[in-house]
Amino acid sequence: MFSLGIFLIVVGLVLSFANWWTLLASSRSGQFVSAIPLVPAIALGAGMVIIPQTRSFAWVAVLLDYGTLILIISLPRMCFESWCTSRHNLMITFYSSEQGRQTEIRLYRRQIAVVSVTYNPPVQCNEHGALQVSGGMVAQWEIVGNSYSLVKYDGDRELIIARHGDDYETIELHYPEGIKYDHDRLGDLTLKEIG
């Protein structure tokens, strides 16, 4: 059992070091590099529990692993965000199935809007031939007259959802000009209010 404990401690330390390395790599490259939560801390903690001399210090494994530490610190915020976009806080859902895609716009309390788009068939989204199957954006919304306005979802783009009879129509403002792959354009849709 002692050799298993040493093995788990070594694996946990190596993976914990790799997680701390992701922090350095993120700051150097300017791009987010994801850490692996829980696995290094569990391996390190289990190894320390197996060895009687280190058993009382097994809790330190959580502090030594950046991925697990960040997960624990972020957990309250993640729970709050999950609650904010739960069905209990959903106010209005709009749906459209046109232009080769299904678009769903959900408006939640606290002025949170979630836009989900599924492409059928998938669409080319860059010059390398990559195909996009689905995508999503988070925005803020407010009521402007008889319409809804979604902002802060991609630069200064703004989406107006205006009532047109029993349905709604979308008007998108400030969409970048000259974009070759404009599959994420949200204007000129006819939406139905559902649920």
Side-chain angles (χ1 to χ4, degrees):
M1 288 299 275
F2 184 81
S3 58
L4 175 62
I6 294 295
F7 173 76
L8 288 173
I9 288 173
V10 169
V11 168
L13 285 173
V14 167
L15 292 175
S16 294
F17 176 77
N19 275 347
W20 283 102
W21 185 257
T22 64
L23 179 63
L24 180 64
S26 293
S27 65
R28 283 187 175 176
S29 69
Q31 296 180 347
F32 177 72
V33 179
S34 181
I36 302 169
L38 300 177
V39 175
I42 289 172
L44 181 57
M48 293 177 79
V49 166
I50 290 173
I51 299 173
Q53 295 85 347
T54 60
R55 187 171 293 145
S56 60
F57 300 103
W59 60 270
V60 174
V62 172
L63 300 177
L64 292 177
D65 178 40
Y66 169 74
T68 302
L69 193 59
I70 290 301
L71 176 65
I72 291 170
I73 291 169
S74 302
L75 204 53
R77 176 74 181 176
M78 290 166 55
C79 290
F80 176 73
E81 288 176 357
S82 179
W83 168 253
C84 287
T85 55
S86 71
R87 64 181 178 88
H88 301 291
N89 287 305
L90 180 62
M91 296 181 67
I92 301 170
T93 301
F94 298 105
Y95 181 79
S96 171
S97 181
E98 56 186 49
Q99 300 179 9
R101 61 185 175 175
Q102 290 77 46
T103 305
E104 188 174 275
I105 301 172
R106 296 181 303 277
L107 305 182
Y108 296 91
R109 289 183 177 85
R110 293 187 174 85
Q111 277 57 55
I112 299 170
V114 176
V115 179
S116 304
V117 182
T118 303
Y119 302 96
N120 189 13
V123 296
Q124 186 172 348
C125 60
N126 64 27
E127 63 277 357
H128 304 295
L131 298 177
Q132 184 154 356
V133 176
S134 63
M137 295 178 268
V138 177
Q140 292 180 359
W141 68 272
E142 63 182 358
I143 296 174
V144 179
N146 293 329
S147 303
Y148 299 94
S149 172
L150 276 63
V151 295
K152 297 185 179 178
Y153 60 93
D154 186 13
D156 63 347
R157 286 168 63 183
E158 180 179 1
L159 184 68
I160 307 295
I161 302 173
R163 183 177 284 279
H164 186 76
D166 291 336
D167 297 328
Y168 293 82
E169 291 185 351
T170 62
I171 303 161
E172 189 163 34
L173 307 174
H174 312 296
Y175 190 86
E177 294 298 323
I179 301 291
K180 182 176 181 181
Y181 301 101
D182 63 351
H183 57 281
D184 63 346
R185 187 181 297 269
L186 296 171
D188 300 321
L189 296 174
T190 300
L191 301 172
K192 294 195 176 298
E193 186 176 342
I194 59 173

